[in-house]
Amino acid sequence: MGVIGPFQKLLQAAMEEGIDLVIQGAGSRSDIFEIAKKYNVPVFIIASSAKVAKKAEDAGASAVVIEGCDAGGHLGFPEGHPFRKTIDIIKETVQTIKIPVIAAGGIFDGKDIIQMLRAGAKGVQMATRFVATNECDADDKFKQAYISSKEEDIVIIKSPVGLPGRAIKNSFAEKILNGTAPKVNISECEGCIGPVCNKAYCILKALENARNGDTENGLIFAGANVFRIKEIVSVKKLIDELTAQANQILAKEPLIQ
Ligand SMILES: Cc1cc2nc3c(=O)[nH]c(=O)nc-3n(C[C@H](O)[C@H](O)[C@H](O)COP(=O)(O)O)c2cc1C
């Protein structure tokens, strides 16, 4: 769940429906802990530094997802903050906090999963690989953009929220890069992210367009390893593959945590 839209209403509705867990990205809000406590639902916060992870722990998070610079979408490294690899932030964070740390960003195969667990993570969060599955509800054109992407097609754009974002180059991404993306039409603006948005273009519309298959007028967020995906598979096949790869490594060298 991001901070877009009627945050409290969405959160409350999800809790009332009996969800097991909330993972919050795009900046943590203090009101999330109050509401979650009422419903006894654990909250995981996405962070890109040990410092932010510590703040989340102190505020009441049950776990932290550490997202490094190879992730898809918004990256938690504003101007002046150098991009950092997930594994480096994980190592630092597990020394800093006591709650479980989960690794995210650029995790592609079973080898990557084991590497994160050996660095002290208790689990991993993966997005890009699961976009290229039959079960993902994005339009097929979005998935096709994933499997036809090449390494040189991956770009870092500036989001209207002031953060960098990783996407696959298409005509919309090029417009963002050369400053010609259509500005937000104020009469249509829902104010979804409030004052943090500089309205350089409508990120909500851009992401929705892409998800719905308009991959020329939309922003195709993807992780740094997207170009390595060659086919769309079922979630079961992907999980089986990741598990087999991880188990093969563990058979030679078990995990000591
Ligand atoms: C298409 C796409 C959309 C994403 N949207 C969000 C989002 O709305 N909020 C968020 O916190 N993270 C978002 N992410 C980041 C993922 O939650 C995840 O942590 C990250 O992409 C993991 O890296 P990976 O994609 O290399 O596995 C998005 C990622 C992708 C690929």
Side-chain angles (χ1 to χ4, degrees):
M1 177 175 283
V3 287
I4 279 182
F7 177 82
Q8 287 196 351
K9 269 193 190 160
L10 285 171
L11 189 63
Q12 189 110 15
M15 303 254 169
E16 272 162 21
E17 289 301 319
I19 52 157
D20 297 318
L21 162 76
V22 183
I23 302 181
Q24 205 219 323
S28 99
R29 291 174 46 140
S30 52
D31 49 353
I32 195 171
F33 297 107
E34 251 166 71
I35 303 169
K37 207 170 168 187
K38 203 171 119 195
Y39 290 88
N40 204 18
V41 172
V43 176
F44 292 10
I45 296 290
I46 303 183
S48 295
S49 70
K51 196 173 148 193
V52 174
K54 177 79 178 93
K55 270 194 197 162
E57 180 181 55
D58 292 345
S62 301
V64 167
V65 178
I66 286 292
E67 203 182 71
C69 66
D70 289 329
H74 285 112
L75 306 174
F77 305 94
E79 231 166 302
H81 293 251
F83 277 19
R84 296 187 67 204
K85 292 272 179 194
T86 307
I87 190 130
D88 297 332
I89 318 171
I90 289 285
K91 286 179 183 167
E92 201 176 289
T93 308
V94 295
Q95 302 294 326
T96 311
I97 62 173
K98 292 184 187 72
I99 53 174
V101 177
I102 294 154
I107 296 163
F108 190 82
D109 55 22
K111 178 172 77 46
D112 298 337
I113 295 173
I114 297 300
Q115 194 187 27
M116 294 302 164
L117 298 182
R118 291 207 204 284
K122 294 289 183 213
V124 298
Q125 171 172 294
M126 298 170 66
T128 298
R129 289 226 57 194
F130 285 88
V131 171
T133 59
N134 301 324
E135 288 85 347
C136 170
D137 66 358
D139 191 275
D140 191 53
K141 282 194 187 142
F142 191 99
K143 301 180 194 179
Q144 292 302 328
Y146 267 45
I147 54 175
S148 57
S149 68
K150 299 188 193 65
E151 191 167 8
E152 57 271 26
D153 298 332
I154 322 292
V155 291
I156 299 289
I157 54 91
K158 213 170 171 181
S159 157
V161 304
L163 289 173
R166 178 173 282 102
I168 298 173
K169 199 197 278 184
N170 64 350
S171 61
F172 194 83
E174 275 177 12
K175 282 183 190 159
I176 298 172
L177 292 170
N178 65 29
T180 59
K183 293 229 167 347
V184 169
N185 181 341
I186 299 297
S187 64
E188 288 174 9
C189 178
E190 293 172 24
C192 64
I193 29 183
V196 290
C197 181
N198 69 12
K199 305 200 173 12
Y201 57 93
C202 179
I203 183 103
L204 186 63
K205 206 155 121 189
L207 295 175
E208 272 303 290
N209 282 348
R211 193 171 75 98
N212 293 331
D214 185 356
T215 46
E216 282 314 294
N217 298 301
L219 188 55
I220 311 167
F221 271 171
N225 283 322
V226 63
F227 69 95
R228 293 168 61 190
I229 302 176
K230 301 293 172 223
E231 56 173 348
I232 296 165
V233 295
S234 68
V235 167
K236 183 178 183 327
K237 190 173 172 203
L238 178 53
I239 295 274
D240 285 349
E241 181 191 308
L242 296 169
T243 312
Q245 290 165 341
N247 283 337
Q248 206 180 354
I249 298 168
L250 290 179
K252 285 187 206 143
E253 198 184 337
L255 199 66
I256 308 157
Q257 270 203 331

